[in-house]
């Protein structure tokens, strides 16, 4: 259950979708609910208190698990955001569901200074795709520019 809780600590606290996790991981949600660490959300997923997220991220001895959790979250978010296409309005819901979680995960990468060298392409992809959603659909231009900049910085670093 700690692995699931750690992954949730890097997402937006509200409306965490079930499909970001494996079936085996999601099986631990019941235990987290019993201990009042998460609760059902109106969107069908779960929510976690932001303070709980802070405490989980600061737990000692989880440094290696922390990187694995963040990588897993970014990969899952990239896979979901691949379903968004700015030319297909039927896919706009994808961006609405996952963009808050992308922004939260990216914020933790940037603020925490987490090095994800092997995952830079995943981080670049999810930043770019979410920036497109924010610019073209949500009209949240400042947030879009920040993610475009992050995507560009990664591309420059990768290409040299």
């Amino acid at each position: 259950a700690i692995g699931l809780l750690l992954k949730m600590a890097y997402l937006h606290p509200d409306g965490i979708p079930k499909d970001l996790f494996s079936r085996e991981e999601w099986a631990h949600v019941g235990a987290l609910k019993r201990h009042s660490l998460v609760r059902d959300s109106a969107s069908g997923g779960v929510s976690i208190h932001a303070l709980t997220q802070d405490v989980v991220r600061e737990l000692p001895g989880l440094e290696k698990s922390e990187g694995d959790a963040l990588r897993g979250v970014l990969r899952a978010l990239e896979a979901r955001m691949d379903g968004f296409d700015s030319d297909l309005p039927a896919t706009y819901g994808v961006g609405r569901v996952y963009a808050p979680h992308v922004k939260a995960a990216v914020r933790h990468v940037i603020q925490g200074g987490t090095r994800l060298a092997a995952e830079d392409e995943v981080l670049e992809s999810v930043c770019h795709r979410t920036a497109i959603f924010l610019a073209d659909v949500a009209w949240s231009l400042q947030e879009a520019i920040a993610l475009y900049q992050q995507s560009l910085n990664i591309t420059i670093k990768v290409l040299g």
Side-chain angles (χ1 to χ4, degrees), residues 77-103:
L77 288 168
E78 178 190 37
R80 299 306 174 267
M81 285 303 293
D82 278 347
F84 165 71
D85 183 336
S86 63
D87 294 326
L88 296 174
T91 67
Y92 291 1
V94 171
R96 288 186 186 96
V97 169
Y98 298 105
H101 300 293
V102 170
K103 292 187 299 185

Side-chain angles (χ1 to χ4, degrees), residues 84-156:
F84 165 71
D85 183 336
S86 63
D87 294 326
L88 296 174
T91 67
Y92 291 1
V94 171
R96 288 186 186 96
V97 169
Y98 298 105
H101 300 293
V102 170
K103 292 187 299 185
V106 170
R107 185 178 63 248
H108 292 297
V109 170
I110 293 168
Q111 289 176 348
T114 306
R115 287 290 306 140
L116 294 171
E119 301 300 316
D120 280 346
E121 289 181 29
V122 172
L123 183 59
E124 186 280 329
S125 172
V126 77
C127 285
H128 186 81
R129 178 74 62 169
T130 305
I132 292 170
F133 167 77
L134 291 170
D136 294 354
V137 178
W139 289 83
S140 192
L141 299 180
Q142 282 186 316
E143 291 177 316
I145 289 168
L147 287 178
Y148 276 131
Q149 187 63 51
Q150 182 67 25
S151 175
L152 180 60
N153 291 343
I154 293 166
T155 301
I156 290 169

Side-chain angles (χ1 to χ4, degrees), residues 4-105:
L4 175 63
L5 192 60
L6 189 55
K7 284 184 175 183
M8 289 180 180
Y10 291 102
L11 297 169
H12 189 278
D14 297 318
I16 299 172
K18 176 181 180 176
D19 64 357
L20 287 178
F21 308 98
S22 70
R23 196 172 290 147
E24 294 79 22
E25 289 172 320
W26 196 256
H28 296 289
V29 165
L32 298 178
K33 287 180 186 178
R34 282 192 300 280
H35 292 4
S36 300
L37 294 169
V38 299
R39 64 188 179 285
D40 290 324
S41 71
S43 65
V46 296
S47 294
I48 183 172
H49 196 282
L51 183 58
T52 301
Q53 289 178 306
D54 289 343
V55 169
V56 169
R57 286 191 303 269
E58 297 298 322
L59 287 173
L62 293 179
E63 291 78 17
K64 182 190 180 312
S65 299
E66 184 178 70
D68 292 342
L70 193 48
R71 281 192 246 336
V73 162
L74 289 169
R75 284 189 198 119
L77 288 168
E78 178 190 37
R80 299 306 174 267
M81 285 303 293
D82 278 347
F84 165 71
D85 183 336
S86 63
D87 294 326
L88 296 174
T91 67
Y92 291 1
V94 171
R96 288 186 186 96
V97 169
Y98 298 105
H101 300 293
V102 170
K103 292 187 299 185

